[in-house]
């Protein structure tokens, strides 16, 4: 299994690679500069050797041993009669050249750098093997690079130590998180952390806050569900006992009918509980897509057409010819509108009317559910979105979760909603208005 690359190792490798590249570029530039300077120094040396000879020399013979370093430089002097009067190395004599100043020549397969001057009395010519010059130049240039490359291991150790010290705050953060229990969701203190780690600590604190809210909501949900399920289950058991005690077929049939009614109510409650739990787990940004409000309204109305027919309720859709779109989760929006239409049908008397309208306003897309029912008393309007709350005197069966689910979905979609009493069909009932941004 391939070992994971740590941040420390990645920083070390990255910084060292950058340093080696920078040092290499600087070293190469220094190398070229050093060779240029050394070459100029050698040229200056040749020029000084030429000018150090007396102006009027007589015949002389060099007795310099062959192994002397001076043999690498050949000095020759000719008098006015073009006779060779001096040579520093008879074995490596160069031809006399007519050119003056610096120039390069090739003698016996070897390249020479030559400098020549002429005065009224003589010609002085000095030559040096270019190969010897280059060896010295390269040697000096390479020696100048030693300090550069000696810094690499030193800098590597310093980087390793400094990066390790800088990452200690991450280890401190990891230790703080590791010491916490699963239910310890209080915020971390940002004191003592580097500014670069502050956003991470703040993000963790925000996550803790959301987890704490989710856990509290889950605890409340479980407690409320247990409480609400206890009553219908007890009623089912009681109704079953009544069926067992029935004296005749008529009483038994009535008891069985009530048993079916209570079973349907319990099934509806469980379905709403599951819907609420499922919607609570849906993220705000998961499954979002472009939705056509007209198609959504027609689909929901079609699903509830049979229920409306049973109560002789006129159920329809009013929408403009142009399509109105929103960005949302298709399943969540279908559940939300379905609950609103279901509530409107349930609480609208027979021969009533329920309309779903779609429009596009200057503020944004708008969806409304209007009914001709009795409306909602003013004292109940502040609590109708609470879980398991059902107003007093309500005859229709329900779980008290429908509007809680509606509010949860709309909050996740950042939609604004309001209830307008007395603004329903025929001036009665109410209008549930939703504005999407």
């Amino acid at each position: 299994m391939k070992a994971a690359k740590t941040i420390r190792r990645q920083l070390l490798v990255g910084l060292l690679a950058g340093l080696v590249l920078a040092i290499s570029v600087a070293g190469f530039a220094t190398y070229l500069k050093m060779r240029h300077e050394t070459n100029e120094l050698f040229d200056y040396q040749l020029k000084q050797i030429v000018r150090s000879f007396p102006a009027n020399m007589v015949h002389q013979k060099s007795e310099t041993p062959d192994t002397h370093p001076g043999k690498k430089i050949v000095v020759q002097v000719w008098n006015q009669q073009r006779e060779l009067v001096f040579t520093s190395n008879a074995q490596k004599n160069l031809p006399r050249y007519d050119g003056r100043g610096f120039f390069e020549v090739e003698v016996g397969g070897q390249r020479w750098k030559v400098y020549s001057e002429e005065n009224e009395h003589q010609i002085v010519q000095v030559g040096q093997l270019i190969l010897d010059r280059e060896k010295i130049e390269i040697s000096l240039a390479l020696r100048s690079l030693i300090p550069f490359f000696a810094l690499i291991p030193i800098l590597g150790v310093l980087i390793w130590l400094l990066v390790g010290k800088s990452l200690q705050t991450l280890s401190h953060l990891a230790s703080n998180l590791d010491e916490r229990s699963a239910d310890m969701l209080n915020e971390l203190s940002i004191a003592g952390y580097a500014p670069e780690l502050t956003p991470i600590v703040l993000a963790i604190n925000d996550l803790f806050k959301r987890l704490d809210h989710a856990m509290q909501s889950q605890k409340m949900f479980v407690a409320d569900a247990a409480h609400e399920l206890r009553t219908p289950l007890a009623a089912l058991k009681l109704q079953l006992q009544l069926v067992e005690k029935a004296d005749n077929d008529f009483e038994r049939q009535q008891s069985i009918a009530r048993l079916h009614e209570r079973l349907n109510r319990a099934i509806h409650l469980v379905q709403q509980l599951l819907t609420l739990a499922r919607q609570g787990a849906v993220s705000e940004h998961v499954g979002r897509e472009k939705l056509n409000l007209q198609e959504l309204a027609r689909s929901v109305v079609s699903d509830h057409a049979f229920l409306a027919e049973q109560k002789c309720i006129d159920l329809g859709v009013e929408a403009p010819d142009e399509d109105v779109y929103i960005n949302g989760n298709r399943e969540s929006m279908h559940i939300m509108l379905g609950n609103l239409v279901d509530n409107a049908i349930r609480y609208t008397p027979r021969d009533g009317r329920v309309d779903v309208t779609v429009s596009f306003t200057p503020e944004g897309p708008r969806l409304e559910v209007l009914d001709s029912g009795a409306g909602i008393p003013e004292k109940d309007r502040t609590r109708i979105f609470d879980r398991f709350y059902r107003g007093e005197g309500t005859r229709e069966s329900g779980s008290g979760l429908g509007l809680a689910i509606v509010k949860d979905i709309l909050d996740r979609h950042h939609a604004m909603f309001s209830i307008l009493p007395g603004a329903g069909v025929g001036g009665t009932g109410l209008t549930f208005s939703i504005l999407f941004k």
Side-chain angles (χ1 to χ4, degrees):
M1 184 176 179
K2 190 176 180 180
K5 292 183 179 179
T6 63
I7 296 177
R8 192 177 190 182
R9 183 180 299 175
Q10 291 183 47
L11 287 174
L12 177 63
V13 172
L15 291 174
L16 273 184
L19 281 172
V20 170
L21 179 62
I23 288 175
S24 299
V25 173
F28 183 70
T30 303
Y31 171 81
L32 295 178
K33 181 67 175 176
M34 181 63 70
R35 289 198 63 179
H36 176 72
E37 296 291 339
T38 306
N39 190 57
E40 287 189 347
L41 180 62
F42 282 137
D43 289 346
Y44 177 77
Q45 182 186 27
L46 294 180
K47 189 180 292 187
Q48 292 302 312
I49 290 174
V50 169
R51 294 176 180 178
S52 65
F53 278 80
N56 191 5
M57 291 187 64
V58 297
H59 286 277
Q60 297 185 32
K61 183 178 180 182
S62 173
E63 300 295 339
T64 309
D66 237 357
T67 57
H68 195 277
K71 290 293 182 178
K72 296 178 186 260
I73 297 178
V74 178
V75 183
Q76 297 168 287
V77 181
W78 288 269
N79 59 19
Q80 287 181 325
Q81 290 75 32
R82 300 300 188 257
E83 296 175 347
L84 184 63
V85 295
F86 176 81
T87 177
S88 63
N89 190 345
Q91 297 178 357
K92 292 187 177 180
N93 277 340
L94 300 175
R96 178 171 52 81
Y97 296 100
D98 295 332
R100 299 295 175 259
F102 289 101
F103 52 90
E104 294 184 9
V105 297
E106 186 171 341
V107 179
Q110 295 180 313
R111 293 169 53 241
W112 292 76
K113 185 70 174 285
V114 177
Y115 180 74
S116 176
E117 277 191 8
E118 181 179 1
N119 55 33
E120 296 178 359
H121 304 286
Q122 61 190 17
I123 298 172
V124 181
Q125 178 179 284
V126 58
Q128 185 179 27
L129 276 173
I130 292 180
L131 181 61
D132 293 338
R133 290 166 62 103
E134 289 179 345
K135 287 180 180 180
I136 298 173
E137 290 171 2
I138 293 174
S139 176
L140 291 175
L142 290 177
R143 289 178 186 177
S144 68
L145 297 181
I146 293 176
F148 286 97
F149 291 100
L151 284 175
I152 293 177
I154 298 174
L155 291 174
V157 173
L158 289 176
I159 291 172
W160 180 263
L161 295 176
L162 289 175
V163 170
K165 184 175 179 61
S166 300
L167 293 178
Q168 285 181 353
T169 50
L170 276 177
S171 301
H172 178 62
L173 177 59
S175 298
N176 283 345
L177 294 175
D178 188 57
E179 292 172 357
R180 287 173 168 251
S181 59
D183 57 348
M184 188 177 178
L185 297 176
N186 56 300
E187 293 186 353
L188 292 168
S189 172
I190 61 173
Y193 291 106
E196 293 81 4
L197 282 180
T198 300
I200 298 177
V201 177
L202 293 176
I204 292 174
N205 286 339
D206 183 63
L207 176 61
F208 282 167
K209 187 182 298 182
R210 286 183 278 126
L211 283 174
D212 184 60
H213 176 73
M215 290 179 67
Q216 295 301 325
S217 299
Q218 185 182 39
K219 291 178 181 178
M220 289 177 59
F221 173 79
V222 171
D224 291 343
H227 179 269
E228 293 297 320
L229 284 171
R230 182 173 56 188
T231 301
L233 290 176
L236 283 173
K237 185 175 181 180
L238 179 61
Q239 195 64 45
L240 185 59
Q241 291 174 351
L242 292 176
V243 172
E244 294 174 345
K245 295 179 180 179
D247 295 331
N248 52 59
D249 291 340
F250 178 74
E251 291 181 359
R252 186 176 295 106
Q253 289 177 356
Q254 283 188 326
S255 298
I256 291 175
R258 293 192 191 96
L259 181 61
H260 278 292
E261 181 182 346
R262 294 183 184 278
L263 275 172
N264 290 334
R265 185 177 301 178
I267 290 171
H268 177 69
L269 174 60
V270 172
Q271 288 176 340
Q272 291 288 64
L273 286 172
L274 292 175
T275 300
L276 186 62
R278 185 170 63 250
Q279 291 304 312
V282 175
S283 172
E284 293 183 8
H285 307 289
V286 172
R288 292 294 185 96
E289 59 181 296
K290 190 177 181 180
L291 298 178
N292 187 312
L293 278 183
Q294 288 98 317
E295 292 181 0
L296 176 67
R298 294 188 183 101
S299 175
V300 172
V301 167
S302 176
D303 292 342
H304 291 78
F306 181 73
L307 179 62
E309 288 178 4
Q310 287 183 320
K311 295 185 67 174
C312 300
I313 291 177
D314 181 11
L315 176 64
V317 177
E318 294 183 8
D321 295 333
E322 296 182 359
D323 292 334
V324 180
Y325 292 96
I326 63 169
N327 185 37
N329 183 284
R330 182 178 299 275
E331 181 184 0
S332 297
M333 296 304 297
H334 195 280
I335 291 172
M336 180 275 300
L337 184 57
N339 278 346
L340 289 179
V341 172
D342 183 77
N343 274 3
I345 293 173
R346 287 176 181 274
Y347 294 98
T348 297
R350 293 182 66 85
D351 300 320
R353 184 175 176 181
V354 175
D355 287 334
V356 179
T357 66
V358 177
S359 61
F360 190 86
T361 66
E363 294 83 7
R366 187 179 293 277
L367 179 66
E368 295 179 328
V369 179
L370 305 86
D371 66 64
S372 59
I376 299 176
E378 185 175 355
K379 63 178 182 177
D380 291 335
R381 291 173 194 164
T382 58
R383 298 193 59 192
I384 59 175
F385 296 104
D386 294 344
R387 294 178 180 178
F388 306 108
Y389 178 77
R390 302 185 70 233
E392 295 180 3
T394 301
R395 295 182 180 180
E396 292 292 330
S397 62
S399 62
L401 288 173
L403 291 181
I405 294 173
V406 169
K407 182 179 184 301
D408 183 66
I409 293 174
L410 292 179
D411 287 343
R412 291 178 182 276
H413 285 75
H414 304 287
M416 300 176 62
F417 55 91
S418 59
I419 296 177
L420 306 176
V425 180
T428 61
L430 55 82
T431 298
F432 195 101
S433 179
I434 304 168
L435 179 64
F436 296 95
K437 295 294 185 178

